[in-house]
Amino acid sequence: MRALILGIIFAFGMLSQAVAQDHKLLIIDSYHKTFSWTESYTLGLNKVLDKSIHVSRFEMNAKKLPVSAHQRKADEAFAFYKKVKPDVVLLCDDIALNHMLPRLQHENIDVVFLGVNGDPQPLIERLNGPVRVTGVLERPHFYRSLSDVIQLYNQPIKNIKILFDDGPTAKINTAYLQSQANLFSKLNQTITRIERFTTFPDWKKAVLEDDYDVLFVGSYQTLRDGMGKNIDANQVITWTNQNTKHPVFAFWKVAVGEGMAAGGYVLDGEKHGIHAAVYIHKVFAGMPADHIPISVGHQGTGIYSKAEFAQLGLTPPREWVPIR
C-alpha cells in the first residue's frame, strides 16, 4: 500500500511539473468548432486539460467542404503545425488522422487521436519516421441500440431503415454496421436496411417512404442541396423528426433531443474528449505516446428525450437516462 501511495504521489508530481512547463497542444479537427460532435468532445477536453496548456486549433471543415478540398486543408494544417511548433498534436476523427499522420511521420512529435472509426493500425504500420501515436477509437454501438429499441414495442418490428450521409466517416461506419445489421436481422427476424445519401432531397424521399417501422439516423452532416451547398445539420434532423411517419432513433448523442431523434444507445463525444485529455496529460508527464495503448472509447449510454417519448407513448428502458 505504501508503495502504491508513493507511486501516485510521484506520478502526480511528474504531471504537475509537466503542466508547469506551459506545454503547447495543437488540435487538428476534421470538422469545425460549431459542429455538435466537436462541441461535445471539446467540453470533455476542457474538463480535464490544465488551464496552463497553450492550445491552438486548426479546423479542416470537412463536413462542409467537398472531398476534393481535403488535401489542400491538410497542407494548410501542416503549415500551421510548423508555425505553432506544438509539443503534442491531437487529431480529431478519421479525416484528420488519415491526412495528417503521413505528413507528420517524419516529425519528432507525440500524436493523440480521438473519434476514429476506422482501423488505424495499417496506417501506423506504414509510418517510417519518429512520430509516436496513440489514441481513442470510436465504436458506435449499433447492435445494442437496435436491440434496445425493438424491445420498446409490444408488437414485432419487421422493418428497420438506417440512414447515413455519404461522407468518408459514413462509409467506414456503414461497412462496420452492415455485419451487425445482418446478424441482428437473422436473430430477430427483421429486415434491416442501410442507405446512404449525398443530397438532402434524396434523404427526404427515403424518410417519406412508408417502408419501415422504425427509422435510425446515423451521420447526416455532409448532406447537400441540389446546388451542392452543405445543409445545416440541425435542419436535417429537425425536418426528419417533423416529417417521418414512424419513430426516429439515433446512434450518437448529438442527434437526440426534443424535436430530434427520440433516443438510442449512443456514443458521447464529451467522454471521448475526457479520455483523450487523460492521454495528453500522460504525454506531458513524460510518457511517449506510443507507450500508451490505443483503446476503445466510452462504452455507450442509453438516453432519451422525455418530450419525444411522451409523444410516442413509449416507456424507456430502466437504464436509459433522460436528456433535455
Side-chain angles (χ1 to χ4, degrees), residues 193-211:
R193 290 175 294 120
I194 305 168
E195 300 178 8
R196 293 205 314 260
F197 300 97
T198 301
T199 70
F200 192 30
D202 287 339
W203 174 285
K204 288 181 175 180
K205 291 178 184 177
V207 171
L208 293 174
E209 290 170 347
D210 195 17
D211 59 351

Side-chain angles (χ1 to χ4, degrees), residues 248-309:
V248 183
F249 296 91
F251 301 118
W252 280 271
K253 182 179 179 180
V254 295
V256 177
E258 185 173 356
M260 303 164 66
Y265 193 82
V266 301
L267 283 175
D268 185 347
E270 180 181 341
K271 292 183 173 62
H272 274 256
I274 290 172
H275 197 153
V278 170
Y279 277 13
I280 291 166
H281 271 299
K282 286 184 177 182
V283 174
F284 284 154
M287 182 178 292
D290 56 1
H291 288 194
I292 304 171
I294 293 172
S295 62
V296 176
H298 175 62
Q299 293 303 301
T301 303
I303 62 171
Y304 69 98
S305 162
K306 285 185 175 181
E308 293 301 319
F309 263 64

Side-chain angles (χ1 to χ4, degrees), residues 40-254:
S40 61
Y41 79 65
T42 300
L43 181 62
L45 290 172
N46 291 340
K47 283 187 174 181
V48 176
L49 291 178
D50 192 274
K51 303 306 179 188
S52 68
I53 297 171
H54 183 271
V55 180
S56 301
R57 188 178 200 98
F58 185 92
E59 299 173 2
M60 295 184 67
N61 207 18
K63 289 293 185 185
K64 296 183 177 181
L65 294 175
V67 173
S68 59
H70 293 178
Q71 290 285 359
R72 173 178 58 82
K73 294 300 291 185
D75 289 339
E76 292 175 7
F78 187 67
F80 188 68
Y81 158 83
K82 286 290 193 180
K83 177 182 178 181
V84 172
K85 297 181 175 62
D87 302 297
V88 175
V89 175
L90 175 63
L91 300 178
C92 302
D93 289 82
D94 294 79
I95 293 171
L97 182 81
N98 292 333
H99 284 282
M100 296 311 302
L101 263 191
R103 289 169 168 80
L104 292 169
Q105 64 178 317
H106 298 298
E107 301 292 314
N108 184 23
I109 188 71
D110 289 283
V111 173
V112 178
F113 62 78
L114 67 76
V116 168
N117 294 277
D119 178 6
Q121 201 58 41
L123 176 59
I124 293 173
E125 289 175 353
R126 291 197 300 269
L127 302 176
N128 57 13
V131 64
R132 299 168 295 278
V133 184
T134 189
V136 185
L137 297 170
E138 178 184 343
R139 291 293 181 265
H141 302 279
F142 296 129
Y143 193 101
R144 172 66 184 272
S145 199
L146 293 170
S147 179
D148 278 8
V149 166
I150 67 166
Q151 294 180 58
L152 298 174
Y153 295 88
N154 295 322
Q155 59 189 28
I157 299 298
K158 292 297 183 183
N159 292 282
I160 298 174
K161 181 182 279 189
I162 304 172
L163 303 185
F164 278 81
D165 59 24
D166 200 36
T169 301
K171 293 176 181 177
I172 296 170
N173 276 322
T174 52
Y176 171 62
L177 170 57
Q178 188 63 64
S179 61
Q180 296 194 35
N182 291 342
L183 177 62
F184 183 84
S185 293
K186 180 179 179 180
L187 296 179
N188 295 280
Q189 291 78 53
T190 65
I191 299 173
T192 306
R193 290 175 294 120
I194 305 168
E195 300 178 8
R196 293 205 314 260
F197 300 97
T198 301
T199 70
F200 192 30
D202 287 339
W203 174 285
K204 288 181 175 180
K205 291 178 184 177
V207 171
L208 293 174
E209 290 170 347
D210 195 17
D211 59 351
Y212 58 91
D213 302 308
V214 171
L215 180 68
F216 275 85
V217 294
S219 56
Y220 45 84
Q221 291 81 9
T222 69
L223 290 172
R224 300 182 180 278
D225 63 17
M227 303 298 292
K229 181 181 178 182
N230 182 250
I231 302 295
D232 179 74
N234 289 329
Q235 179 183 344
V236 174
I237 191 63
T238 300
W239 184 93
T240 301
N241 170 279
Q242 292 173 348
N243 290 275
T244 181
K245 300 175 183 178
H246 301 283
V248 183
F249 296 91
F251 301 118
W252 280 271
K253 182 179 179 180
V254 295

